[in-house]
Amino acid sequence: LFGNLFSYAGAQVPGEYLFFSMYFMMTGVHGIHILAGMGVIGYLIWRTHKGDYSGEYYTPIDLTGLYWHLVDLIWIYLFPLLYLVS
């Protein structure tokens, strides 16, 4: 809530500040990697439309897929760590 409707009594649980610092840092870093992956996928779509890839040469597409799924796999571990355990 904004303005005069917002109130916060302070940390009620030991380690609360550390948890929220880690939470925002880890989700922010994950978001940056998602945006980078989306940019690379967009670039690959553009190059594919130009006809730069074929059945003989598709390594950048393959590596981008591996990167995207690695970011997804890391999020699968971050989600329970940040949301379910706490």
Side-chain angles (χ1 to χ4, degrees):
L1 299 172
F2 296 102
N4 59 357
L5 300 176
F6 178 78
S7 66
Y8 180 66
Q12 304 295 325
V13 179
E16 183 177 351
Y17 291 121
L18 178 62
F19 170 76
F20 282 111
S21 296
M22 292 298 291
Y23 169 79
F24 285 115
M25 183 197 69
M26 292 173 84
T27 55
V29 168
H30 178 72
I32 290 169
H33 283 92
I34 291 292
L35 290 174
M38 289 171 60
V40 171
I41 289 171
Y43 175 72
L44 288 178
I45 289 171
W46 175 67
R47 285 196 54 194
T48 302
H49 184 66
K50 286 179 30 179
D52 291 343
Y53 304 116
S54 65
E56 291 81 31
Y57 178 67
Y58 56 88
T59 303
I61 295 173
D62 200 22
L63 294 177
T64 301
L66 286 173
Y67 170 79
W68 187 258
H69 289 296
L70 174 69
V71 170
D72 184 41
L73 183 66
I74 291 172
W75 183 248
I76 288 172
Y77 287 102
L78 279 179
F79 180 76
L81 177 70
L82 295 176
Y83 293 103
L84 302 179
V85 173
S86 62

